[in-house]
Amino acid sequence: MGESKQPHLNGAYYGPSIPPPSKSYHRPGRGGGGCCCNPFSCCCGCLMNCLCTCVFQILCTILVVAAIVIAILIFVFRPNAVKFHATNATLTEFNLNNNTLHYNLAVNLTIRNPNRRIGFYYDVIEARASYQGQRFATAQLTPFFQGTKSTNNVTAEFRGQNMVLLGNREMSHYNADRSSGMYDIEVKLYLRTRLRFWIVKSMRVKPKIECDLRIPLSSNGSASGAFESQRFVQTILPISSMDSL
């Protein structure tokens, strides 16, 4: 059977009918395409993006340049840590009576600067002596400048009396030290130093030097044991920790 013809189509067949396209609505300023109703907000956003990108690139450049400069300085100067040693110590009195410690102590120190291009200004040198965690004496040493590849000898002297409160455990250690004639005394050095590179001087550096010493008690010119040289351990203090010096 032939297909039926529709008279209003003049006998032509155009296939099935196509529905009309759906309407889509676009609100300007949202999504992609279209123009922004407020051009100033677009300009401000682009400006902020460009500014953040420029700042980030500048910071990265500064960090890279600083790292290169530090690497060059380290290669040129090759800094080495200053070495502190307690070469000798003399203890002629160390007597605890009614929580009052009577003491007479002298510690000889050797400071060695192994650097070839770096000198050190020791603006403040404060020595502190402690026993069983209790500080009993403080001594101020004379400031000086230490040149390159040089060694300086200084002496910290502690003499006098001070109140020291020891618990049962600490008193047990004191009685043991008195019986052996050897006392465990801790000596710390608090410093304010500056570095000199040729004619350039750095900002102040505040290291702390500490060492646990076992010192024999000398009586009538004879000691109950021999003192062994000890090396100090160095740490860097925060800036606020030395404000009291």
Side-chain angles (χ1 to χ4, degrees), residues 126-148:
E126 182 180 284
R128 301 176 183 177
S130 302
Y131 181 75
Q132 298 297 321
Q134 299 289 324
R135 185 175 68 181
F136 62 85
T138 300
Q140 298 290 339
L141 280 64
T142 303
F144 65 95
F145 171 76
Q146 186 175 37
T148 59

Side-chain angles (χ1 to χ4, degrees), residues 96 131-134 165-177 184:
L96 182 63
Y131 181 75
Q132 298 297 321
Q134 299 289 324
L165 300 177
L166 301 180
N168 295 331
R169 181 178 178 181
E170 289 77 13
M171 282 299 302
S172 177
H173 283 288
Y174 170 76
N175 293 328
D177 290 347
D184 294 322

Side-chain angles (χ1 to χ4, degrees), residues 56-116:
F56 179 76
Q57 293 177 349
I58 292 174
L59 291 177
C60 291
T61 303
I62 293 175
L63 291 176
V64 171
V65 173
I68 293 175
V69 171
I70 293 175
I72 293 174
L73 291 176
I74 292 176
F75 178 78
V76 172
F77 292 101
R78 296 181 180 180
N80 295 306
V82 177
K83 299 178 181 179
F84 293 79
H85 285 86
T87 56
N88 192 20
T90 303
L91 182 65
T92 57
E93 184 180 8
F94 203 79
N95 183 28
L96 182 63
N97 187 11
N98 293 329
N99 294 327
T100 300
L101 180 65
H102 300 263
Y103 53 87
N104 190 351
L105 170 65
V107 180
N108 298 330
L109 305 173
T110 297
I111 305 176
R112 173 65 180 171
N113 178 16
N115 296 281
R116 295 183 178 181

Side-chain angles (χ1 to χ4, degrees), residues 168-206:
N168 295 331
R169 181 178 178 181
E170 289 77 13
M171 282 299 302
S172 177
H173 283 288
Y174 170 76
N175 293 328
D177 290 347
R178 186 175 60 178
S179 299
S180 64
M182 302 283 290
Y183 291 87
D184 294 322
I185 299 176
E186 182 182 36
V187 175
K188 297 181 180 179
L189 301 178
Y190 291 83
L191 311 176
R192 285 178 180 257
T193 65
R194 290 175 295 159
L195 284 67
R196 190 180 76 176
F197 312 93
W198 294 324
I199 60 174
V200 179
K201 299 178 183 178
S202 72
M203 299 179 61
R204 281 193 175 95
V205 182
K206 301 175 182 181

